[in-house]
Amino acid sequence: MLTEIRAEIDRLDREIVALIGRREELVRRAGRLKADADAVRAPDRVEQVIGKVRALAGESGADADVVEATYRAMIAAFIDLELRVRPEE
């Protein structure tokens, strides 16, 4: 039983990493298209995403606090990435 659970966790980790890679690709594309770096840092932008994922957590039965903590860390990394990407001219 424990072996199956760990195998499923490993499968989910691969899926999560693939999704993060896809999100990274989209963030880089958005970063190249951004016109205003201040908008990337806007405090309400993060709170909008957090509100959205907390609602999604509720719909899926996930712990909203765990989802929020995970997303806050992920969003911080993606904001840093997006700010490093040079806009297209």
Side-chain angles (χ1 to χ4, degrees), residues 1-55:
M1 180 76 163
L2 182 56
T3 303
E4 291 86 15
I5 292 170
R6 287 188 175 152
E8 182 65 8
I9 289 170
D10 289 345
R11 186 192 67 72
L12 285 172
D13 285 344
R14 283 189 296 277
E15 188 176 330
I16 290 166
V17 169
L19 290 170
I20 289 171
R22 176 68 177 136
R23 193 175 200 284
E24 178 182 345
E25 175 188 327
L26 294 170
V27 166
R28 286 181 187 280
R29 288 173 56 195
R32 287 190 293 272
L33 298 172
K34 73 177 177 275
D36 184 1
D38 289 336
V40 176
R41 293 186 188 96
D44 62 330
R45 179 176 180 212
V46 171
E47 294 311 314
Q48 289 170 0
V49 172
I50 295 301
K52 180 179 66 174
V53 298
R54 284 186 70 88

Side-chain angles (χ1 to χ4, degrees), residues 27-28 31 34 40-41 45 72-86:
V27 166
R28 286 181 187 280
K34 73 177 177 275
V40 176
R41 293 186 188 96
R45 179 176 180 212
R72 282 194 183 278
M74 184 176 70
I75 290 167
F78 280 120
I79 287 172
D80 289 345
L81 173 64
E82 189 172 348
L83 289 171
R84 288 192 314 264
V85 174
R86 298 188 60 84

